[in-house]
Amino acid sequence: MDAPSLHVRSYGADLGADRHDYAQLVLPLGGAVLLDIEGRRDRLDVLRGACVAPGAWHAQAGDGPNASLILDVDAGALSHPAWERLLERPFMALGPGARKLIEFMGVMRAQPDLLAGWVPLLLDTIALDAPRPTSRLAALLARVDAEPGLAWTTETMARCAGLSVSRLHALFRTELATSPHAWLRDLRLSRARAWLAETSRPIADIALAAGFSDQSALTRALRDATGMTPGAYRRARSARAS
């Protein structure tokens, strides 16, 4: 398990003991769970979660119908500064900000790439005084990558990340050595190229899904990048694959 693993689990009435070599966050989406972590017990609900340290014996039982978002993280991947605090105090309150993120991640769990980008922001919100700008950026990148066809601009990206436009530009320069506009352009073009090569979707549909205003805009961008029109690019990729 290299990347964090996210899934939803419901617990029955039996307290089944378990241990594993990865850390685990238990974040209820509904109902309640009774959790014992090496003799420390608490009742988890939508306002209270828990962190199980790698190798810790733990047992859990559902208190009626329940569902929890479970985040599994390898011990070697515990580099986020929140983990030290979470592992010291295994039971934690879940404030409004954390609740919104947990609910969002529960709904979007079928998109693992998107969820992985939101994990740092979730950890910040649960354990730190305020989300770090880099965590906000990671969540933003995952959000835009999941839906490049939305009407993203530098301003809407900054608003989504909870940052000023100038701070967003500074983060992109520091973390990615590019600008928000250039990153968005490259993402959209990369997605369009993948769809042209791997699907038979109409070019006009691909243009809109990737975030271009129309097929002509995609044609201009692709010609600038590759010297080919979308149709020519698709034919070339098809010939290469055959």
Side-chain angles (χ1 to χ4, degrees), residues 37-103:
I37 304 175
E38 298 197 329
R40 302 173 69 177
R41 290 194 173 198
D42 208 337
R43 182 179 185 274
L44 310 185
D45 56 28
V46 294
L47 299 179
R48 193 155 184 81
C51 177
V52 180
W57 280 105
H58 57 285
Q60 57 280 316
D63 185 6
N66 65 91
S68 295
L69 184 69
I70 307 298
L71 171 64
D72 298 333
V73 181
D74 278 333
L78 303 181
S79 58
H80 190 287
W83 284 112
E84 182 177 356
R85 186 176 300 184
L86 290 172
L87 294 173
E88 288 176 352
R89 296 184 297 175
F91 299 102
M92 80 289 290
L94 301 172
R99 287 300 329 148
K100 290 181 181 179
L101 282 172
I102 292 166
E103 290 167 4

Side-chain angles (χ1 to χ4, degrees), residues 221-242:
L222 190 60
R223 185 181 286 122
D224 289 343
T226 68
M228 290 186 285
T229 65
Y233 183 85
R234 171 173 273 171
R235 289 191 294 272
R237 297 294 294 183
S238 177
R240 186 178 300 178
S242 61

